[in-house]
Amino acid sequence: QEQLVESGGGSVQAGGSLRLSCAVFGYAYSSYCMGWFRQAPGTEREGVVVFKNNGFTRFADSVKGRFAISHDNAKNTLYLEMNSLKPEDTAMYYCAAEFPPCYGLGTEHFGYWGQGTQVTVSS
């Protein structure tokens, strides 16, 4: 059964860093278009980054230069490296997957979702 499990969220001060993990079960992440999304209270879920291991990567403008994506094939795990965090990065972060190709940062393209991990950035 396909499953995505996020971890690594927490509370940090502005300027700090966190690394989120997305462990993929039931299939190889490398076969899918993978994405990280976030949702703050009262807002719509938005795309942070979309990634495919064929070289396709697209970041939201709000995180370019601060966030990076990495992966571990042996662990079938995707990571979101978040640096220079800002209070506006506070949100629940979700990992998602969809059959390729990767279309972009829209949530409508993704059918498989994890439960999320909370990130809170204080000023």
Side-chain angles (χ1 to χ4, degrees):
Q1 182 176 355
E2 297 86 358
Q3 190 177 10
L4 303 170
V5 180
E6 303 97 331
S7 61
S11 297
V12 295
Q13 290 191 327
S17 299
L18 281 174
R19 187 178 79 160
L20 305 184
S21 300
C22 172
V24 181
F25 300 94
Y27 60 91
Y29 83 87
S30 58
S31 298
Y32 284 71
C33 181
M34 302 296 297
W36 283 99
F37 296 80
R38 66 186 182 185
Q39 187 170 19
T43 69
E44 292 188 354
R45 194 169 296 186
E46 63 176 3
V48 175
V49 60
V50 170
F51 164 82
K52 180 70 175 75
N53 69 341
N54 62 359
F56 179 96
T57 306
R58 183 169 297 170
F59 284 94
D61 289 343
S62 58
V63 305
K64 281 181 181 176
R66 300 189 298 121
F67 289 14
I69 199 161
S70 60
H71 49 92
D72 186 327
N73 290 342
K75 295 182 178 180
N76 207 29
T77 298
L78 200 67
Y79 302 99
L80 182 66
E81 313 273 356
M82 305 188 296
N83 301 303
S84 302
L85 283 163
K86 305 175 181 180
E88 50 264 44
D89 294 318
T90 295
M92 183 72 80
Y93 282 72
Y94 299 90
C95 181
E98 188 48 276
F99 296 108
C102 290
Y103 292 101
L105 293 167
T107 59
E108 67 273 17
H109 302 304
F110 288 80
Y112 301 98
W113 294 86
Q115 294 300 306
T117 185
Q118 177 68 38
V119 172
T120 302
V121 184
S122 58
S123 59

